[in-house]
């Protein structure tokens, strides 16, 4: 029994939208990973990011999408003797790529301090872009909050307790070398040693 043409159109449009959204997400993750590959030789103090919530479930979605994609490609080949452009296949392929490859690859990016900036939980920020920093201490880990002087937002870096002292020393050294400068950011730090604010 074949589906009505309007139902097939809705399904194809849905997979087209999903595929386009995941294509953008995949491009961002791939660009972030290649930035990391270029920068990893300049690592000063780094560690592996903790597993995000529902990590196993997301990997399971990747495996499921791989099975569905394989089934649909084989089915299409049997019906048409070739694989042609189908928006359902496109959407499934983009979701498979995201969950099975690019999302786990992004977790492999070492968070922490590099020669030219800090790799935060949400991406990289250069030292020259930092407008302010503050610490939030927890029971086992510490969170470094970094504000950008270019964009009005704060991003975070979860710092393992064992790396806390080394991270503070590294930030003090970067401030002493003027790689990080808070002056002109509205924090009124001109009258004292900026290293004390770390």
């Amino acid at each position: 029994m074949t589906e009505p043409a309007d139902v097939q159109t809705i399904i194809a449009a849905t997979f087209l939208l999903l595929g386009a959204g995941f294509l953008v997400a995949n491009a961002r993750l791939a660009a972030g990973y290649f930035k990391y590959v270029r920068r990893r030789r300049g690592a000063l103090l780094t560690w592996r990011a903790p597993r995000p919530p529902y990590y196993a479930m997301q990997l399971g979605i990747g495996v499921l999408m791989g099975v569905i994609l394989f089934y649909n490609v084989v089915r299409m080949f049997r019906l048409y003797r070739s694989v042609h452009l189908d928006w359902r296949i496109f959407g499934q392929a983009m979701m498979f790529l995201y969950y099975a490859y690019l999302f786990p690859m992004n977790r492999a990016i070492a968070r922490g301090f590099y020669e030219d900036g800090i790799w935060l939980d949400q991406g990289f920020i250069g030292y020259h872009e930092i407008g302010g920093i503050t610490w939030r201490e927890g029971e086992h880990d510490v969170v470094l909050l970094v504000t950008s002087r270019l964009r009005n937002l704060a991003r975070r870096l979860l710092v393992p307790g064992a790396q806390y002292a080394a991270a503070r020393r590294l930030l003090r050294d970067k401030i002493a070398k003027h790689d990080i400068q808070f002056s002109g950011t509205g924090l009124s730090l001109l009258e004292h040693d900026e290293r004390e604010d770390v």
Side-chain angles (χ1 to χ4, degrees):
M1 183 177 173
T2 60
E3 298 166 335
D6 54 344
V7 173
Q8 288 189 16
T9 302
I10 292 169
I11 291 172
T14 302
F15 274 104
L16 173 60
L17 288 173
L18 280 171
F22 275 96
L23 178 62
V24 172
N26 290 342
R28 290 183 65 193
L29 288 179
Y33 186 78
F34 288 120
K35 281 183 190 174
Y36 164 68
V37 168
R38 285 199 313 268
R39 283 193 166 96
R40 65 182 168 191
R41 287 187 181 171
L44 302 175
L45 176 68
T46 60
W47 52 88
R48 190 176 178 116
R51 278 190 175 188
Y54 310 112
Y55 181 69
M57 185 180 78
Q58 290 174 320
L59 291 181
I61 292 171
V63 171
L64 180 64
M65 291 310 304
V67 170
I68 292 170
L69 180 63
F70 178 77
Y71 169 78
N72 284 331
V73 168
V74 169
R75 184 170 168 265
M76 180 184 291
F77 190 77
R78 283 185 176 172
L79 287 174
Y80 302 108
R81 295 290 177 207
S82 68
V83 178
H84 62 279
L85 182 62
D86 183 311
W87 294 124
R88 285 185 263 203
I89 299 291
F90 169 70
Q92 292 163 6
M94 291 298 104
M95 291 192 296
F96 170 69
L97 193 61
Y98 178 87
Y99 286 111
Y101 289 100
L102 294 171
F103 179 74
M105 271 174 48
N106 185 55
R107 188 176 170 265
I109 295 173
R111 287 1 182 222
F113 300 87
Y114 292 79
E115 286 178 357
D116 57 343
I118 306 173
W119 207 291
L120 304 163
D121 294 337
Q122 298 89 3
F124 186 81
I125 184 170
Y127 291 121
H128 66 281
E129 189 184 333
I130 294 174
I133 54 176
T134 188
W135 295 95
R136 295 283 182 264
E137 297 184 22
E139 196 172 318
H140 302 292
D141 296 312
V142 182
V143 175
L144 173 66
L145 294 174
V146 178
T147 57
S148 168
R149 66 172 68 237
L150 305 178
R151 288 178 290 242
N152 190 17
L153 58 88
R155 292 184 278 180
R156 65 191 292 273
L157 173 65
L158 188 66
V159 179
Q163 309 290 353
Y164 179 41
R168 285 183 71 102
R169 281 194 304 272
L170 200 150
L171 281 172
R172 286 176 61 87
D173 291 344
K174 288 294 181 184
I175 291 169
K177 292 177 186 173
H178 302 290
D179 292 336
I180 300 174
Q181 296 183 16
F182 299 131
S183 56
T185 62
L187 297 175
S188 300
L189 301 173
L190 296 174
E191 299 299 322
H192 66 282
D193 188 346
E194 293 178 347
R195 291 173 294 179
E196 296 303 319
D197 295 290
V198 176

